[in-house]
C-alpha cells in the first residue's frame, strides 16, 4: 500500500517521539492510548485497532531462558544457604536445578557471578525497602532497632533466606552493598546526631552486624527445626531482646535501649524472596 504524504509525516513524528514515551516513569499508570504521542494516536486511529490475541505472549525461547535462570538461582540459593559458597560446586547447582551443565554459562560466568546476582536480588532489594523505615522513623536508634527486628523475623519466616544472609558474613564489600551498607549509614547518622556514642566505628559496625547475624542464624535454625523445642523462645521476643543489646552497644542506657527495642514495629511493605519454595 502506498503511503500518503500526511501519513509519512505522522510516521516520522511517531519515530522521533517514541524515545520520550519509553522513558516515562513506570509508576505513572496510564492507558496505552494516553501514553502515546499525538502522532501515534492519529496513526492508530487511521489504521484502525491492532488485532489482539490471547496467544500473543513472551516468545517461548525467552520464557524458557527466564525460567532456567530462576531455577539456577533458586538451586544456588538453597545450596549456598546450607553449605556456604566454598561447599557448593557448579555441577551441584545445575543438578539441583535439573538443567544441563552448559546451561549455567548461558546465564552466569562463574559461581561468583551467580552469588552476586543472589545477593542483589535476595538481599539488596530487601535492604532498599527496609531503608524506607527512615520515612517513618526520625530516631536513628529506633530505625536500627526496627531494621534489625525485621531482618531477624524474616529469617524466622524464611529460613533459607536467613541462612543465605548469614552465609554472606562480613567482607570488604559488605560495607558497600545490601544490609551492611545501610547499617553503616544508620550508625553514622546516629553518631552525627549525637544519638550514639561510638569511639571506633569499624569495630562497632562489626559488633552490631555480627549480633544481628547471630540472631538471624538462631531464628532461621529454630524455624527449620519447628518439631523440636524452642531453645531461644518466641521469635518476636528474641528479636526485641537482641535489638536492645544492639542499642546498648551503640551507647544507649539499658532502660532506654529496652524501651526503644520494645516499641511497635511500623508497617512497611517488604519484597518477598523471589526464589522461595512454595
Amino acid at each position: 500500500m502506498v503511503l500518503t504524504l500526511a501519513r509519512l509525516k505522522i510516521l516520522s513524528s511517531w519515530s522521533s517521539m517514541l524515545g520520550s514515551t519509553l522513558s516515562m516513569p513506570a509508576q505513572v499508570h496510564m492507558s496505552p492510548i494516553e501514553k502515546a504521542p499525538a502522532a501515534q494516536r492519529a496513526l492508530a486511529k487511521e489504521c484502525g485497532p491492532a488485532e489482539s490475541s490471547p496467544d500473543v505472549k513472551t516468545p517461548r525461547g525467552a520464557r524458557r531462558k527466564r525460567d532456567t535462570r530462576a531455577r539456577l538461582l533458586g538451586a544456588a540459593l538453597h545450596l549456598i544457604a546450607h553449605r556456604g559458597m566454598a561447599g557448593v560446586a557448579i555441577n551441584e547447582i545445575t543438578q539441583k536445578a535439573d538443567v544441563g551443565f552448559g546451561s549455567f554459562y548461558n546465564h552466569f560466568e562463574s559461581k561468583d557471578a551467580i552469588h552476586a546476582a543472589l545477593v542483589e536480588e535476595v538481599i539488596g532489594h530487601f535492604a532498599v525497602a527496609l531503608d524506607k523505615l527512615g520515612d517513618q522513623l526520625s530516631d536513628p536508634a529506633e530505625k536500627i532497632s526496627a531494621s534489625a527486628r525485621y531482618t531477624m523475623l524474616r529469617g524466622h519466616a524464611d529460613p533459607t533466606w536467613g541462612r543465605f544472609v548469614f552465609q554472606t558474613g562480613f567482607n570488604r564489600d559488605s560495607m558497600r552493598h545490601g544490609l551492611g551498607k545501610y547499617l553503616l549509614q544508620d550508625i553514622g547518622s546516629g553518631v552525627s546526631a549525637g544519638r550514639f556514642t561510638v569511639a571506633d566505628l569499624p569495630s562497632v559496625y562489626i559488633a552490631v552486624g555480627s549480633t544481628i547475624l547471630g540472631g538471624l542464624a538462631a531464628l532461621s535454625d529454630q524455624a527449620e527445626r519447628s518439631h523440636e523445642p524452642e531453645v531461644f523462645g518466641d521469635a518476636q521476643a528474641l528479636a526485641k531482646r537482641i535489638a536492645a543489646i544492639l542499642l546498648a552497644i551503640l551507647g544507649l542506657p539499658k532502660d532506654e535501649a529496652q524501651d526503644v527495642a520494645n516499641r511497635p514495629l511500623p508497617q512497611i511493605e517488604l519484597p518477598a524472596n523471589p526464589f522461595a519454595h512454595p
Side-chain angles (χ1 to χ4, degrees):
M1 180 176 64
V2 179
L3 296 175
T4 65
L5 179 59
R7 190 170 179 182
L8 284 172
K9 290 181 178 179
I10 291 174
L11 284 171
S12 176
S13 176
W14 181 11
S15 176
S16 65
M17 298 178 69
L18 186 56
S20 61
T21 302
L22 292 175
S23 63
M24 181 174 291
Q27 66 268 25
V28 178
H29 299 290
M30 303 176 68
S31 71
I33 293 299
E34 289 173 325
K35 285 184 180 180
Q40 186 175 348
R41 296 198 299 271
L43 181 59
K45 183 176 181 180
E46 179 180 348
C47 296
E51 294 184 5
S52 60
S53 167
D55 296 331
V56 178
K57 300 177 181 178
T58 304
R60 181 178 300 174
R63 293 200 310 273
R64 185 182 297 116
K65 185 174 182 179
R66 179 191 60 205
D67 292 345
T68 299
R69 183 180 186 276
R71 286 161 63 185
L72 286 167
L73 285 165
L77 173 66
H78 181 84
L79 291 170
I80 294 172
H82 290 84
R83 289 156 53 181
M85 271 282 285
V88 178
I90 290 177
N91 67 301
E92 292 176 307
I93 296 173
T94 56
Q95 287 173 6
K96 186 169 184 63
D98 194 24
V99 302
F101 181 80
S103 296
F104 179 92
Y105 294 98
N106 292 331
H107 301 273
F108 307 102
E109 294 181 354
S110 63
K111 189 171 66 171
D112 286 339
I114 195 171
H115 181 260
L118 281 171
V119 168
E120 175 62 22
E121 298 190 35
V122 175
I123 302 177
H125 295 169
F126 177 86
V128 170
L130 196 63
D131 188 55
K132 295 185 182 300
L133 283 167
D135 296 340
Q136 304 180 53
L137 303 173
S138 59
D139 181 4
E142 192 167 0
K143 185 185 178 191
I144 281 187
S145 172
S147 297
R149 288 167 62 190
Y150 264 124
T151 299
M152 289 183 280
L153 292 173
R154 165 58 69 87
H156 186 260
D158 184 351
T160 299
W161 182 92
R163 286 183 177 275
F164 179 78
V165 174
F166 178 78
Q167 290 286 359
T168 62
F170 282 102
N171 55 44
R172 185 168 298 181
D173 290 338
S174 70
M175 299 177 77
R176 298 194 295 266
H177 303 286
L179 292 168
K181 168 187 172 182
Y182 294 106
L183 174 61
L184 186 62
Q185 288 180 0
D186 290 341
I187 294 174
S189 297
V191 171
S192 298
R195 191 71 167 110
F196 302 147
T197 303
V198 174
D200 183 347
L201 181 57
S203 297
V204 168
Y205 166 78
I206 292 172
V208 171
S210 297
T211 303
I212 295 172
L213 288 179
L216 181 65
L219 288 178
S220 299
D221 182 73
Q222 184 165 281
E224 287 192 327
R225 301 172 184 267
S226 56
H227 59 286
E228 300 179 9
E230 292 186 346
V231 176
F232 302 107
D234 176 72
Q236 294 275 358
L238 179 62
K240 291 176 182 178
R241 295 200 302 272
I242 292 177
I245 292 171
L246 300 177
L247 297 177
I249 293 173
L250 292 166
L252 269 68
K254 180 180 178 181
D255 290 344
E256 184 179 7
Q258 290 180 343
D259 172 66
V260 173
N262 280 276
R263 292 175 186 171
L265 284 172
Q267 295 299 310
I268 187 171
E269 185 175 347
L270 295 171
N273 175 4
F275 310 111
H277 292 294

